[in-house]
Amino acid sequence: MKTLVVEDSRIAREGLIRMLKEYPMLDIIGEADHPTTALQLIEQAHPEVIFLDIHMPGESGIELLEKLDYNPRIIFTTAYSEYAIKSFDFHTIDYLLKPISHERLSQAITKLQLSSEKPETAPKQPLEMNHKIFLKDGDNCHLVTLESIRYFESCKNHVRIFFEDKSAFIKKPLNQIEERLPQKFFFRANRQYIVNLQAIRAIEEGIHDGYLVTMDDDVEIEISRRQAIDLKSLLSL
């Protein structure tokens, strides 16, 4: 399993990596001493497992996780027990308090193995544009067709869905939503947005070889340079 270690203390980071090398199932693909560096590695490699310190200079490990658009397995490694409850808002396998013993780490790895051995369900088929979706946002309930959705916006560990003159929040990663959308009609503009191509009113060249699209509700969304090539192909520009 592709594994990333994020820890601001060099001694603690190197010690943990030495311990993890005893487990062949883990492929250590990188290490980071700061959330900013970690985010770059995560976006490049999409590790399946992250050993993550919480209390770090500048930004916490939890704030880092809120920026991700998928749910890797997390094993927290920290000296601050007060974060334990909040940590389980994420796909947390275990919560290890420093200093970490070999025995306690072994228990966490066992939990990780058990979680990875659970049978995966078959991938679901993409939805049709006329498919009706039930959205429950707090006390508000909505029944909307897929074609009425303008765009999806990733907001930390939620996704905000914009439709008609309304919006609703759901607790689901953007990547998971993308898997169910018909690719002919919905396009991943960047890390934060998926847009309905039929709801685009205008397209113009943006900075850094990307595009700027204006949706039919006047919201402007940048198409990243990496995605601009795919958009050209899709729209035959």
Side-chain angles (χ1 to χ4, degrees):
M1 303 176 71
K2 293 192 297 184
T3 303
L4 177 68
V5 175
V6 183
E7 164 64 62
D8 66 310
S9 167
R10 180 183 60 81
I11 294 175
R13 187 173 65 252
E14 292 177 353
L16 178 57
I17 291 174
R18 281 196 300 270
M19 295 169 69
L20 294 177
K21 286 182 178 179
E22 299 177 9
Y23 300 92
M25 67 173 290
L26 301 179
D27 176 19
I28 310 297
I29 55 95
E31 58 182 275
D33 60 358
H34 191 277
T36 300
T37 308
L39 183 60
Q40 295 173 352
L41 291 172
I42 291 169
E43 290 178 338
Q44 292 170 5
H46 271 229
E48 300 163 86
V49 184
I50 302 177
F51 284 81
L52 179 63
D53 191 10
I54 294 180
H55 189 74
M56 291 182 284
E59 186 177 59
S60 73
I62 289 175
E63 289 173 313
L64 168 63
L65 291 180
E66 289 174 341
K67 295 180 178 180
L68 305 187
D69 55 11
Y70 77 112
N71 285 326
R73 295 176 174 88
I74 304 298
I75 296 179
F76 284 106
T77 60
T78 183
Y80 296 83
S81 61
E82 64 266 27
Y83 289 105
I85 294 177
K86 183 171 177 58
S87 74
F88 284 90
D89 289 343
F90 306 96
H91 191 174
T92 305
I93 301 298
D94 209 341
Y95 186 93
L96 304 179
L97 290 178
K98 299 174 184 176
I100 302 168
S101 67
H102 284 273
E103 180 181 1
R104 188 64 185 87
L105 179 60
S106 177
Q107 293 173 0
I109 299 300
T110 298
K111 292 181 182 180
L112 180 62
Q113 288 176 313
L114 291 175
S115 73
S116 64
E117 290 171 358
K118 292 180 180 179
E120 298 183 359
T121 56
K124 296 180 179 180
Q125 294 299 315
L127 300 174
E128 300 291 336
M129 289 296 280
N130 61 358
H131 188 98
K132 291 186 176 181
I133 302 172
F134 178 75
L135 302 176
K136 188 177 189 305
D137 181 15
D139 295 331
N140 299 318
C141 298
H142 309 276
L143 187 65
V144 302
T145 60
L146 196 60
E147 62 188 353
S148 70
I149 296 175
R150 289 188 175 92
Y151 47 88
F152 300 83
E153 179 187 13
S154 178
C155 303
K156 295 185 177 180
N157 58 333
H158 287 72
V159 167
R160 189 177 184 184
I161 302 176
F162 292 82
F163 57 96
E164 301 170 356
D165 58 347
K166 306 179 182 69
S167 67
F169 287 91
I170 62 171
K171 192 170 184 179
K172 186 172 288 189
L174 194 61
N175 276 6
Q176 190 173 337
I177 291 175
E178 184 179 16
E179 292 173 356
R180 300 299 313 278
L181 299 176
Q183 295 182 1
K184 291 191 299 183
F185 300 101
F186 285 90
F187 181 76
R188 185 66 175 263
N190 51 49
R191 187 169 59 86
Q192 189 175 4
Y193 286 96
I194 296 175
V195 301
N196 183 344
L197 294 174
Q198 296 180 322
I200 294 176
R201 191 175 66 204
I203 302 177
E204 58 184 290
E205 291 186 358
I207 59 175
H208 305 307
D209 298 323
Y211 287 102
L212 184 68
V213 300
T214 303
M215 308 303 292
D216 58 15
D217 62 351
D218 294 326
V219 169
E220 295 182 339
I221 297 174
E222 286 190 15
I223 305 294
S224 66
R225 181 175 58 181
R226 183 175 61 180
Q227 297 297 90
I229 297 174
D230 293 335
L231 182 63
K232 284 181 181 180
S233 174
L234 192 62
L235 297 181
S236 300
L237 294 176

